[in-house]
Amino acid sequence: MKKSYQLSASVEDYIEAILNLADEAGCARSKDVAAKLGVARSSVTGALQLLREKGLADHEPYGGITLTPQGQAAARAVVRKHEVLASFFQDVLGIKKDRAQQAACRAEHALGTEIIGKLVDFIDYVAASHQNGWDVAHEFRQFCRRRPARSKE
Amino acid sequence: MKKSYQLSASVEDYIEAILNLADEAGCARSKDVAAKLGVARSSVTGALQLLREKGLADHEPYGGITLTPQGQAAARAVVRKHEVLASFFQDVLGIKKDRAQQAACRAEHALGTEIIGKLVDFIDYVAASHQNGWDVAHEFRQFCRRRPARSKE
DNA sequence: TGACAAAGTTAGGGGCGCCTAACTATACTG
DNA sequence: CAGTATAGTTAGGCGCCCCTAACTTTGTCA
């Protein structure tokens, strides 16, 4: 029986940053987490305390930060949401890359696995349509060109 | 020059509830806002104070709640986001109505007008595809049937 | 009209998440 | 090894948003 913890957006941000840093730099340092999230170093210290209490991350004072298996799983789920959303915004809706990334960051905490799963399917469907000679994304872009856009953040 | 205030999710929830109640019942009462949002009555009092400071709503103590023109505009923007998202989740992705509504509630605060505008376009495109004899939503459902679903919240 | 119920408010408190300032531990360099 | 820069922590505080409990105002009805 696995408890599906409801993680706060903040906690999700932290574990996502830690996972990304670990992938990029091999090891996540508190300082870099602070820089990546744009928060004070002391905020990271506080968050790490919480992450340890939740069993998501380990770190001894002045040591490196490591995600527990549970923390890794949670982090990968967040990263996956982020990637799926960014891909949908960019590849299907035609949003510019950096804006798609930003929007994905904000939205990734709000959507559950059902919607994300469906979005994966949808992205795959759009990709498959491309190979069948009927490119949905392309058609949509054509469609947009024929009508005034409302876009603007 | 119109300042695009960054409203907190909480403030958006309140003005959305007030607008909905005003549309449904003709007049928004504090008690009903509390019930709709599932918060204590005193929380509504506090929120109303904030809404007045922000120029979004008026209400004299023990009186009815009314949105200012600015508040109405903000509320309608939130409602629109909600409706667009719910429609996309339900009509395009095929999510069940109540789950689509829930997800829209959670996501509506995270997405800006650019993405919402594109979603409107996309929904329209899907509808138009239907009339052209190539129903994207239907095709997608077929596509899903041919592969295992990952859905589950 | 007087009493009671319902609606609204005030007062006080708590959690979360962030900040700055000051302190401590570690690392680097001459 | 001293001395300084850097990383990390602690302490204290603030804003937001919620709560409960108690109080005030309003509405209703015999």
Short mmCIF file of all heavy atoms in Angstrom, two decimals, chain A residues 88-89 92-93 95 99 103 106-107 110 112-115 118 120-122 124-125 128 134 136 139-140 143-144 147 150-153, chain B residues 88-89 92-93 95 99 103 106-107 110 112-115 118 120-122 124-125 128 134 136 139-140 143-144 147 150-153:
data_model
loop_
_atom_site.label_atom_id
_atom_site.label_comp_id
_atom_site.label_asym_id
_atom_site.label_seq_id
_atom_site.Cartn_x
_atom_site.Cartn_y
_atom_site.Cartn_z
N PHE A 88 3.67 19.81 -24.63
CA PHE A 88 2.34 20.12 -25.17
C PHE A 88 2.24 21.60 -25.54
O PHE A 88 1.79 21.94 -26.64
CB PHE A 88 1.26 19.77 -24.14
CG PHE A 88 -0.11 20.19 -24.57
CD1 PHE A 88 -0.78 19.50 -25.58
CD2 PHE A 88 -0.73 21.28 -23.98
CE1 PHE A 88 -2.05 19.90 -25.99
CE2 PHE A 88 -2.00 21.68 -24.39
CZ PHE A 88 -2.65 20.99 -25.40
N PHE A 89 2.66 22.47 -24.66
CA PHE A 89 2.58 23.89 -24.93
C PHE A 89 3.40 24.26 -26.17
O PHE A 89 2.95 25.01 -27.02
CB PHE A 89 3.10 24.70 -23.73
CG PHE A 89 2.23 24.59 -22.51
CD1 PHE A 89 2.78 24.73 -21.24
CD2 PHE A 89 0.87 24.35 -22.62
CE1 PHE A 89 1.98 24.63 -20.10
CE2 PHE A 89 0.06 24.25 -21.48
CZ PHE A 89 0.62 24.39 -20.22
N VAL A 92 2.56 21.30 -29.52
CA VAL A 92 1.18 21.25 -30.02
C VAL A 92 0.61 22.65 -30.14
O VAL A 92 0.10 23.05 -31.19
CB VAL A 92 0.28 20.37 -29.12
CG1 VAL A 92 -1.15 20.36 -29.66
CG2 VAL A 92 0.84 18.96 -29.04
N LEU A 93 0.69 23.43 -29.06
CA LEU A 93 0.08 24.76 -29.10
C LEU A 93 0.95 25.78 -29.82
O LEU A 93 0.46 26.84 -30.23
CB LEU A 93 -0.21 25.25 -27.68
CG LEU A 93 -1.27 24.48 -26.88
CD1 LEU A 93 -1.58 25.20 -25.59
CD2 LEU A 93 -2.54 24.27 -27.70
N ILE A 95 3.62 27.39 -28.52
CA ILE A 95 4.13 28.44 -27.63
C ILE A 95 5.66 28.45 -27.70
O ILE A 95 6.27 27.39 -27.83
CB ILE A 95 3.69 28.16 -26.18
CG1 ILE A 95 2.16 28.02 -26.08
CG2 ILE A 95 4.22 29.22 -25.23
CD1 ILE A 95 1.42 29.30 -26.21
N ARG A 99 8.63 30.50 -22.88
CA ARG A 99 7.31 30.70 -22.27
C ARG A 99 6.66 29.36 -21.94
O ARG A 99 5.96 29.22 -20.94
CB ARG A 99 6.40 31.47 -23.22
CG ARG A 99 6.72 32.94 -23.28
CD ARG A 99 5.64 33.67 -24.07
NE ARG A 99 5.86 35.10 -24.03
CZ ARG A 99 5.50 35.87 -23.02
NH1 ARG A 99 4.92 35.34 -21.96
NH2 ARG A 99 5.72 37.17 -23.05
N ALA A 103 5.45 28.39 -18.20
CA ALA A 103 4.08 27.98 -17.93
C ALA A 103 4.05 26.57 -17.34
O ALA A 103 3.27 26.29 -16.43
CB ALA A 103 3.25 28.03 -19.21
N ARG A 106 4.72 26.62 -13.70
CA ARG A 106 3.62 27.07 -12.86
C ARG A 106 2.51 26.04 -12.79
O ARG A 106 1.85 25.87 -11.77
CB ARG A 106 3.08 28.42 -13.38
CG ARG A 106 3.90 29.60 -12.89
CD ARG A 106 3.36 30.91 -13.41
NE ARG A 106 3.91 31.25 -14.71
CZ ARG A 106 3.24 31.35 -15.84
NH1 ARG A 106 1.95 31.11 -15.83
NH2 ARG A 106 3.86 31.67 -16.95
N ALA A 107 2.30 25.34 -13.91
CA ALA A 107 1.14 24.44 -13.99
C ALA A 107 1.45 23.04 -13.46
O ALA A 107 0.53 22.30 -13.09
CB ALA A 107 0.66 24.34 -15.44
N ALA A 110 -0.30 21.63 -10.44
CA ALA A 110 -1.76 21.67 -10.37
C ALA A 110 -2.42 20.46 -11.00
O ALA A 110 -3.60 20.22 -10.76
CB ALA A 110 -2.28 22.95 -11.03
N GLY A 112 -2.87 16.37 -11.99
CA GLY A 112 -2.63 15.01 -11.52
C GLY A 112 -2.27 14.07 -12.66
O GLY A 112 -2.20 14.47 -13.83
N THR A 113 -2.05 12.82 -12.30
CA THR A 113 -1.54 11.87 -13.28
C THR A 113 -2.57 11.55 -14.37
O THR A 113 -2.18 11.18 -15.48
CB THR A 113 -1.11 10.57 -12.60
OG1 THR A 113 -2.21 10.08 -11.83
CG2 THR A 113 0.07 10.81 -11.69
N GLU A 114 -3.83 11.72 -14.05
CA GLU A 114 -4.83 11.39 -15.08
C GLU A 114 -4.68 12.34 -16.27
O GLU A 114 -4.57 11.89 -17.43
CB GLU A 114 -6.24 11.49 -14.52
CG GLU A 114 -7.30 11.16 -15.57
CD GLU A 114 -8.72 11.30 -15.03
OE1 GLU A 114 -8.90 11.92 -13.96
OE2 GLU A 114 -9.64 10.80 -15.71
N ILE A 115 -4.68 13.64 -15.97
CA ILE A 115 -4.56 14.62 -17.05
C ILE A 115 -3.20 14.49 -17.74
O ILE A 115 -3.12 14.52 -18.97
CB ILE A 115 -4.72 16.04 -16.48
CG1 ILE A 115 -6.04 16.18 -15.72
CG2 ILE A 115 -4.57 17.07 -17.60
CD1 ILE A 115 -7.14 16.81 -16.46
N LYS A 118 -3.17 11.62 -20.05
CA LYS A 118 -3.93 11.90 -21.27
C LYS A 118 -3.15 12.83 -22.20
O LYS A 118 -3.22 12.71 -23.43
CB LYS A 118 -5.27 12.55 -20.91
CG LYS A 118 -6.35 11.54 -20.54
CD LYS A 118 -6.75 10.71 -21.74
CE LYS A 118 -7.85 9.72 -21.37
NZ LYS A 118 -8.09 8.75 -22.45
N VAL A 120 0.07 12.95 -22.42
CA VAL A 120 1.08 12.12 -23.08
C VAL A 120 0.47 11.43 -24.28
O VAL A 120 1.02 11.45 -25.39
CB VAL A 120 1.64 11.06 -22.10
CG1 VAL A 120 2.48 10.04 -22.83
CG2 VAL A 120 2.44 11.73 -20.99
N ASP A 121 -0.69 10.84 -24.05
CA ASP A 121 -1.37 10.17 -25.16
C ASP A 121 -1.62 11.15 -26.30
O ASP A 121 -1.42 10.83 -27.48
CB ASP A 121 -2.72 9.62 -24.68
CG ASP A 121 -2.55 8.44 -23.74
OD1 ASP A 121 -1.44 7.86 -23.71
OD2 ASP A 121 -3.51 8.09 -23.04
N PHE A 122 -2.05 12.34 -25.92
CA PHE A 122 -2.40 13.30 -26.95
C PHE A 122 -1.19 13.72 -27.76
O PHE A 122 -1.25 13.83 -28.99
CB PHE A 122 -3.09 14.52 -26.34
CG PHE A 122 -3.82 15.34 -27.34
CD1 PHE A 122 -5.08 14.96 -27.79
CD2 PHE A 122 -3.23 16.48 -27.88
CE1 PHE A 122 -5.75 15.70 -28.75
CE2 PHE A 122 -3.91 17.23 -28.84
CZ PHE A 122 -5.16 16.84 -29.27
N ASP A 124 1.44 11.99 -28.23
CA ASP A 124 1.78 10.84 -29.06
C ASP A 124 0.85 10.77 -30.28
O ASP A 124 1.28 10.47 -31.39
CB ASP A 124 1.67 9.54 -28.26
CG ASP A 124 2.80 9.41 -27.25
OD1 ASP A 124 3.76 10.20 -27.33
OD2 ASP A 124 2.72 8.52 -26.38
N TYR A 125 -0.39 11.06 -30.02
CA TYR A 125 -1.37 11.04 -31.11
C TYR A 125 -1.02 12.06 -32.17
O TYR A 125 -1.05 11.78 -33.37
CB TYR A 125 -2.77 11.30 -30.56
CG TYR A 125 -3.77 11.72 -31.60
CD1 TYR A 125 -4.22 10.81 -32.57
CD2 TYR A 125 -4.25 13.02 -31.63
CE1 TYR A 125 -5.13 11.21 -33.53
CE2 TYR A 125 -5.16 13.42 -32.60
CZ TYR A 125 -5.59 12.52 -33.55
OH TYR A 125 -6.48 12.91 -34.50
N ALA A 128 1.88 10.82 -34.06
CA ALA A 128 1.48 9.75 -34.97
C ALA A 128 0.76 10.33 -36.18
O ALA A 128 0.92 9.86 -37.31
CB ALA A 128 0.58 8.75 -34.24
N TRP A 134 -1.10 13.46 -41.82
CA TRP A 134 -2.09 14.47 -41.43
C TRP A 134 -1.61 15.09 -40.12
O TRP A 134 -1.96 14.64 -39.05
CB TRP A 134 -3.47 13.84 -41.25
CG TRP A 134 -4.50 14.85 -40.88
CD1 TRP A 134 -4.73 15.38 -39.64
CD2 TRP A 134 -5.44 15.48 -41.73
NE1 TRP A 134 -5.72 16.29 -39.68
CE2 TRP A 134 -6.20 16.38 -40.96
CE3 TRP A 134 -5.73 15.39 -43.12
CZ2 TRP A 134 -7.21 17.18 -41.48
CZ3 TRP A 134 -6.74 16.18 -43.62
CH2 TRP A 134 -7.47 17.06 -42.82
N VAL A 136 -1.52 17.13 -37.17
CA VAL A 136 -2.46 17.93 -36.40
C VAL A 136 -1.84 19.26 -35.99
O VAL A 136 -2.47 20.31 -36.10
CB VAL A 136 -2.95 17.15 -35.15
CG1 VAL A 136 -3.70 18.07 -34.21
CG2 VAL A 136 -3.81 15.98 -35.58
N GLU A 139 -1.65 21.47 -38.97
CA GLU A 139 -3.00 21.91 -39.34
C GLU A 139 -3.49 23.00 -38.39
O GLU A 139 -4.12 23.97 -38.79
CB GLU A 139 -3.96 20.72 -39.28
CG GLU A 139 -3.76 19.69 -40.37
CD GLU A 139 -4.10 20.25 -41.75
OE1 GLU A 139 -5.09 21.00 -41.85
OE2 GLU A 139 -3.36 19.95 -42.70
N PHE A 140 -3.18 22.79 -37.12
CA PHE A 140 -3.62 23.77 -36.13
C PHE A 140 -2.96 25.12 -36.38
O PHE A 140 -3.60 26.17 -36.30
CB PHE A 140 -3.30 23.28 -34.72
CG PHE A 140 -3.54 24.29 -33.64
CD1 PHE A 140 -4.78 24.91 -33.51
CD2 PHE A 140 -2.53 24.64 -32.75
CE1 PHE A 140 -5.01 25.86 -32.51
CE2 PHE A 140 -2.75 25.58 -31.76
CZ PHE A 140 -3.98 26.19 -31.64
N PHE A 143 -4.66 26.73 -39.12
CA PHE A 143 -5.95 27.19 -38.64
C PHE A 143 -5.81 28.53 -37.91
O PHE A 143 -6.61 29.45 -38.11
CB PHE A 143 -6.53 26.13 -37.69
CG PHE A 143 -7.83 26.50 -37.04
CD1 PHE A 143 -9.03 26.29 -37.70
CD2 PHE A 143 -7.85 27.04 -35.77
CE1 PHE A 143 -10.25 26.62 -37.08
CE2 PHE A 143 -9.05 27.37 -35.15
CZ PHE A 143 -10.25 27.16 -35.82
N CYS A 144 -4.76 28.63 -37.08
CA CYS A 144 -4.53 29.87 -36.33
C CYS A 144 -4.23 31.03 -37.27
O CYS A 144 -4.62 32.17 -37.02
CB CYS A 144 -3.37 29.70 -35.37
SG CYS A 144 -3.79 28.74 -33.91
N ARG A 147 -7.12 32.98 -38.56
CA ARG A 147 -7.95 33.76 -37.64
C ARG A 147 -7.02 34.56 -36.74
O ARG A 147 -5.91 34.18 -36.50
CB ARG A 147 -8.82 32.83 -36.80
CG ARG A 147 -8.01 31.75 -36.11
CD ARG A 147 -8.52 31.48 -34.76
NE ARG A 147 -9.83 30.88 -34.79
CZ ARG A 147 -10.64 30.85 -33.74
NH1 ARG A 147 -10.24 31.41 -32.60
NH2 ARG A 147 -11.81 30.29 -33.79
N ARG A 150 -5.23 35.57 -30.14
CA ARG A 150 -5.55 36.35 -28.93
C ARG A 150 -4.38 36.31 -27.98
O ARG A 150 -4.46 36.85 -26.89
CB ARG A 150 -6.71 35.71 -28.19
CG ARG A 150 -7.70 35.13 -29.06
CD ARG A 150 -8.34 33.88 -28.57
NE ARG A 150 -9.68 33.85 -29.14
CZ ARG A 150 -9.87 33.93 -30.45
NH1 ARG A 150 -8.83 34.03 -31.27
NH2 ARG A 150 -11.09 33.92 -30.93
N SER A 151 -3.32 35.64 -28.40
CA SER A 151 -2.23 35.36 -27.47
C SER A 151 -1.57 36.63 -26.94
O SER A 151 -1.46 37.61 -27.63
CB SER A 151 -1.17 34.54 -28.20
OG SER A 151 -1.79 33.64 -29.08
N LYS A 152 -1.14 36.56 -25.72
CA LYS A 152 -0.36 37.60 -25.03
C LYS A 152 -0.49 37.31 -23.54
O LYS A 152 -1.57 37.14 -23.03
CB LYS A 152 -0.91 38.99 -25.32
CG LYS A 152 -0.15 40.09 -24.60
CD LYS A 152 0.85 40.75 -25.52
CE LYS A 152 1.29 42.05 -24.88
NZ LYS A 152 0.17 43.01 -24.95
N GLU A 153 0.67 37.23 -22.91
CA GLU A 153 0.62 36.85 -21.46
C GLU A 153 0.33 38.08 -20.61
O GLU A 153 1.03 39.02 -20.66
CB GLU A 153 1.96 36.24 -21.05
CG GLU A 153 1.98 35.80 -19.61
CD GLU A 153 1.87 34.30 -19.46
OE1 GLU A 153 1.82 33.59 -20.48
OE2 GLU A 153 1.80 33.85 -18.34
N PHE B 88 -11.32 21.90 -22.51
CA PHE B 88 -10.21 21.16 -23.13
C PHE B 88 -10.06 19.78 -22.50
O PHE B 88 -9.96 18.78 -23.20
CB PHE B 88 -8.91 21.95 -22.98
CG PHE B 88 -7.71 21.20 -23.48
CD1 PHE B 88 -7.51 21.00 -24.83
CD2 PHE B 88 -6.80 20.65 -22.57
CE1 PHE B 88 -6.41 20.28 -25.29
CE2 PHE B 88 -5.71 19.93 -23.02
CZ PHE B 88 -5.51 19.75 -24.38
N PHE B 89 -10.07 19.74 -21.18
CA PHE B 89 -9.91 18.46 -20.50
C PHE B 89 -11.03 17.50 -20.86
O PHE B 89 -10.80 16.33 -21.14
CB PHE B 89 -9.90 18.66 -18.98
CG PHE B 89 -8.70 19.42 -18.47
CD1 PHE B 89 -8.78 20.18 -17.31
CD2 PHE B 89 -7.49 19.39 -19.16
CE1 PHE B 89 -7.66 20.88 -16.84
CE2 PHE B 89 -6.37 20.09 -18.70
CZ PHE B 89 -6.47 20.84 -17.53
N VAL B 92 -11.70 17.53 -25.36
CA VAL B 92 -10.59 17.09 -26.20
C VAL B 92 -9.91 15.87 -25.59
O VAL B 92 -9.75 14.84 -26.23
CB VAL B 92 -9.56 18.22 -26.42
CG1 VAL B 92 -8.39 17.72 -27.26
CG2 VAL B 92 -10.22 19.42 -27.07
N LEU B 93 -9.55 15.97 -24.31
CA LEU B 93 -8.83 14.85 -23.70
C LEU B 93 -9.75 13.72 -23.27
O LEU B 93 -9.30 12.60 -23.06
CB LEU B 93 -8.03 15.34 -22.48
CG LEU B 93 -6.87 16.31 -22.78
CD1 LEU B 93 -6.06 16.55 -21.51
CD2 LEU B 93 -5.97 15.81 -23.90
N ILE B 95 -11.64 13.65 -20.45
CA ILE B 95 -11.69 13.47 -19.00
C ILE B 95 -13.15 13.60 -18.54
O ILE B 95 -13.90 14.40 -19.10
CB ILE B 95 -10.84 14.55 -18.31
CG1 ILE B 95 -9.40 14.52 -18.83
CG2 ILE B 95 -10.90 14.43 -16.80
CD1 ILE B 95 -8.58 13.38 -18.35
N ARG B 99 -14.09 15.47 -12.88
CA ARG B 99 -12.64 15.53 -12.76
C ARG B 99 -12.09 16.68 -13.59
O ARG B 99 -11.11 17.34 -13.20
CB ARG B 99 -12.00 14.23 -13.24
CG ARG B 99 -12.13 13.12 -12.23
CD ARG B 99 -11.32 11.91 -12.67
NE ARG B 99 -11.33 10.88 -11.66
CZ ARG B 99 -10.56 10.91 -10.58
NH1 ARG B 99 -9.73 11.92 -10.38
NH2 ARG B 99 -10.64 9.93 -9.70
N ALA B 103 -9.85 19.66 -11.97
CA ALA B 103 -8.52 19.97 -12.50
C ALA B 103 -8.47 21.42 -12.98
O ALA B 103 -7.48 22.12 -12.78
CB ALA B 103 -8.16 19.02 -13.63
N ARG B 106 -7.90 23.77 -10.19
CA ARG B 106 -6.54 23.81 -9.67
C ARG B 106 -5.60 24.51 -10.65
O ARG B 106 -4.67 25.21 -10.25
CB ARG B 106 -6.04 22.39 -9.37
CG ARG B 106 -6.51 21.87 -8.01
CD ARG B 106 -6.01 20.48 -7.73
NE ARG B 106 -6.92 19.46 -8.25
CZ ARG B 106 -6.65 18.61 -9.20
NH1 ARG B 106 -5.45 18.62 -9.76
NH2 ARG B 106 -7.54 17.73 -9.60
N ALA B 107 -5.85 24.32 -11.94
CA ALA B 107 -4.90 24.82 -12.94
C ALA B 107 -5.19 26.26 -13.35
O ALA B 107 -4.30 26.94 -13.88
CB ALA B 107 -4.94 23.91 -14.17
N ALA B 110 -2.72 29.03 -12.72
CA ALA B 110 -1.32 28.86 -13.13
C ALA B 110 -1.06 29.30 -14.57
O ALA B 110 0.09 29.49 -14.95
CB ALA B 110 -0.91 27.40 -12.97
N GLY B 112 -1.46 31.74 -17.99
CA GLY B 112 -1.70 33.10 -18.45
C GLY B 112 -2.52 33.14 -19.72
O GLY B 112 -2.92 32.12 -20.27
N THR B 113 -2.77 34.35 -20.18
CA THR B 113 -3.68 34.52 -21.31
C THR B 113 -3.12 33.94 -22.61
O THR B 113 -3.89 33.58 -23.50
CB THR B 113 -4.00 36.00 -21.52
OG1 THR B 113 -2.79 36.74 -21.66
CG2 THR B 113 -4.78 36.55 -20.33
N GLU B 114 -1.80 33.87 -22.71
CA GLU B 114 -1.25 33.33 -23.96
C GLU B 114 -1.67 31.88 -24.15
O GLU B 114 -2.20 31.50 -25.19
CB GLU B 114 0.28 33.44 -23.97
CG GLU B 114 0.87 32.90 -25.26
CD GLU B 114 2.39 32.97 -25.26
OE1 GLU B 114 2.99 33.17 -24.18
OE2 GLU B 114 2.98 32.80 -26.35
N ILE B 115 -1.41 31.09 -23.11
CA ILE B 115 -1.76 29.66 -23.21
C ILE B 115 -3.28 29.49 -23.32
O ILE B 115 -3.75 28.69 -24.13
CB ILE B 115 -1.26 28.91 -21.96
CG1 ILE B 115 0.24 29.13 -21.76
CG2 ILE B 115 -1.63 27.44 -22.04
CD1 ILE B 115 1.11 28.05 -22.26
N LYS B 118 -4.41 30.21 -26.74
CA LYS B 118 -4.07 29.13 -27.67
C LYS B 118 -4.99 27.93 -27.47
O LYS B 118 -5.35 27.24 -28.42
CB LYS B 118 -2.61 28.70 -27.44
CG LYS B 118 -1.60 29.57 -28.17
CD LYS B 118 -1.73 29.43 -29.67
CE LYS B 118 -0.69 30.27 -30.39
NZ LYS B 118 -0.94 30.33 -31.85
N VAL B 120 -8.06 28.10 -26.49
CA VAL B 120 -9.33 28.46 -27.15
C VAL B 120 -9.23 28.14 -28.63
O VAL B 120 -10.11 27.50 -29.20
CB VAL B 120 -9.64 29.95 -26.94
CG1 VAL B 120 -10.80 30.37 -27.83
CG2 VAL B 120 -9.95 30.23 -25.48
N ASP B 121 -8.14 28.59 -29.23
CA ASP B 121 -7.94 28.31 -30.65
C ASP B 121 -7.97 26.81 -30.92
O ASP B 121 -8.58 26.34 -31.88
CB ASP B 121 -6.59 28.87 -31.11
CG ASP B 121 -6.57 30.39 -31.13
OD1 ASP B 121 -7.67 30.99 -31.10
OD2 ASP B 121 -5.48 30.97 -31.18
N PHE B 122 -7.30 26.09 -30.03
CA PHE B 122 -7.19 24.66 -30.27
C PHE B 122 -8.54 23.96 -30.18
O PHE B 122 -8.88 23.10 -30.99
CB PHE B 122 -6.20 24.03 -29.29
CG PHE B 122 -5.75 22.67 -29.72
CD1 PHE B 122 -4.77 22.51 -30.69
CD2 PHE B 122 -6.33 21.54 -29.17
CE1 PHE B 122 -4.37 21.26 -31.11
CE2 PHE B 122 -5.94 20.28 -29.57
CZ PHE B 122 -4.95 20.13 -30.54
N ASP B 124 -11.35 25.35 -30.73
CA ASP B 124 -12.09 25.72 -31.94
C ASP B 124 -11.63 24.90 -33.14
O ASP B 124 -12.43 24.49 -33.97
CB ASP B 124 -11.88 27.22 -32.23
CG ASP B 124 -12.63 28.10 -31.24
OD1 ASP B 124 -13.46 27.57 -30.48
OD2 ASP B 124 -12.37 29.32 -31.22
N TYR B 125 -10.35 24.68 -33.18
CA TYR B 125 -9.79 23.89 -34.28
C TYR B 125 -10.35 22.48 -34.26
O TYR B 125 -10.74 21.93 -35.29
CB TYR B 125 -8.27 23.88 -34.19
CG TYR B 125 -7.63 22.78 -34.98
CD1 TYR B 125 -7.62 22.80 -36.39
CD2 TYR B 125 -7.03 21.70 -34.34
CE1 TYR B 125 -7.03 21.78 -37.11
CE2 TYR B 125 -6.44 20.69 -35.05
CZ TYR B 125 -6.44 20.73 -36.44
OH TYR B 125 -5.87 19.72 -37.15
N ALA B 128 -13.83 22.61 -35.42
CA ALA B 128 -13.88 22.80 -36.87
C ALA B 128 -13.52 21.51 -37.60
O ALA B 128 -14.11 21.18 -38.63
CB ALA B 128 -12.92 23.92 -37.28
N TRP B 134 -13.24 15.31 -40.19
CA TRP B 134 -12.08 14.65 -39.58
C TRP B 134 -12.03 15.08 -38.13
O TRP B 134 -11.40 16.06 -37.76
CB TRP B 134 -10.80 15.05 -40.31
CG TRP B 134 -9.61 14.37 -39.73
CD1 TRP B 134 -8.93 14.71 -38.61
CD2 TRP B 134 -8.95 13.22 -40.25
NE1 TRP B 134 -7.90 13.84 -38.37
CE2 TRP B 134 -7.88 12.91 -39.36
CE3 TRP B 134 -9.15 12.39 -41.35
CZ2 TRP B 134 -7.04 11.83 -39.55
CZ3 TRP B 134 -8.30 11.34 -41.54
CH2 TRP B 134 -7.26 11.06 -40.65
N VAL B 136 -10.91 15.38 -34.73
CA VAL B 136 -9.67 15.15 -33.99
C VAL B 136 -9.95 14.48 -32.65
O VAL B 136 -9.27 13.53 -32.27
CB VAL B 136 -8.91 16.47 -33.77
CG1 VAL B 136 -7.76 16.27 -32.78
CG2 VAL B 136 -8.36 16.98 -35.09
N GLU B 139 -10.83 10.92 -33.28
CA GLU B 139 -9.64 10.18 -33.70
C GLU B 139 -8.73 9.89 -32.51
O GLU B 139 -8.16 8.80 -32.39
CB GLU B 139 -8.85 11.01 -34.74
CG GLU B 139 -9.53 11.13 -36.09
CD GLU B 139 -9.60 9.78 -36.79
OE1 GLU B 139 -8.61 9.02 -36.71
OE2 GLU B 139 -10.65 9.49 -37.41
N PHE B 140 -8.63 10.89 -31.65
CA PHE B 140 -7.77 10.72 -30.47
C PHE B 140 -8.31 9.59 -29.59
O PHE B 140 -7.55 8.77 -29.06
CB PHE B 140 -7.67 12.03 -29.69
CG PHE B 140 -6.97 11.89 -28.37
CD1 PHE B 140 -5.69 11.34 -28.29
CD2 PHE B 140 -7.58 12.32 -27.20
CE1 PHE B 140 -5.04 11.23 -27.07
CE2 PHE B 140 -6.94 12.21 -25.98
CZ PHE B 140 -5.66 11.66 -25.92
N PHE B 143 -7.42 6.43 -31.06
CA PHE B 143 -5.98 6.22 -30.84
C PHE B 143 -5.73 5.68 -29.43
O PHE B 143 -4.93 4.75 -29.25
CB PHE B 143 -5.27 7.56 -31.04
CG PHE B 143 -3.80 7.53 -30.78
CD1 PHE B 143 -2.90 7.13 -31.76
CD2 PHE B 143 -3.30 7.94 -29.55
CE1 PHE B 143 -1.54 7.12 -31.52
CE2 PHE B 143 -1.94 7.94 -29.30
CZ PHE B 143 -1.06 7.52 -30.29
N CYS B 144 -6.43 6.25 -28.46
CA CYS B 144 -6.26 5.80 -27.07
C CYS B 144 -6.70 4.36 -26.90
O CYS B 144 -6.11 3.59 -26.13
CB CYS B 144 -7.06 6.68 -26.12
SG CYS B 144 -6.33 8.29 -25.84
N ARG B 147 -4.17 1.72 -27.52
CA ARG B 147 -3.00 1.58 -26.65
C ARG B 147 -3.48 1.67 -25.20
O ARG B 147 -4.50 2.25 -24.92
CB ARG B 147 -2.00 2.69 -26.94
CG ARG B 147 -2.66 4.07 -26.89
CD ARG B 147 -1.78 5.06 -26.25
NE ARG B 147 -0.63 5.37 -27.06
CZ ARG B 147 0.45 5.96 -26.59
NH1 ARG B 147 0.47 6.31 -25.31
NH2 ARG B 147 1.47 6.24 -27.36
N ARG B 150 -2.89 5.30 -19.37
CA ARG B 150 -2.13 5.43 -18.11
C ARG B 150 -2.93 6.18 -17.08
O ARG B 150 -2.45 6.45 -15.99
CB ARG B 150 -0.87 6.26 -18.35
CG ARG B 150 -0.23 6.01 -19.59
CD ARG B 150 0.27 7.22 -20.29
NE ARG B 150 1.34 6.77 -21.15
CZ ARG B 150 1.16 5.83 -22.05
NH1 ARG B 150 -0.04 5.31 -22.19
NH2 ARG B 150 2.15 5.43 -22.79
N SER B 151 -4.13 6.55 -17.44
CA SER B 151 -4.91 7.48 -16.63
C SER B 151 -5.19 6.95 -15.23
O SER B 151 -5.43 5.77 -15.05
CB SER B 151 -6.22 7.78 -17.32
OG SER B 151 -6.02 7.84 -18.71
N LYS B 152 -5.19 7.80 -14.29
CA LYS B 152 -5.57 7.55 -12.89
C LYS B 152 -5.03 8.71 -12.08
O LYS B 152 -3.86 9.03 -12.19
CB LYS B 152 -4.96 6.24 -12.38
CG LYS B 152 -5.35 5.93 -10.95
CD LYS B 152 -6.45 4.90 -10.89
CE LYS B 152 -6.57 4.37 -9.48
NZ LYS B 152 -5.37 3.52 -9.20
N GLU B 153 -5.92 9.32 -11.32
CA GLU B 153 -5.47 10.51 -10.55
C GLU B 153 -4.81 10.08 -9.26
O GLU B 153 -5.39 9.38 -8.51
CB GLU B 153 -6.65 11.42 -10.24
CG GLU B 153 -6.24 12.67 -9.49
CD GLU B 153 -6.20 13.89 -10.36
OE1 GLU B 153 -6.58 13.78 -11.55
OE2 GLU B 153 -5.80 14.94 -9.90
#
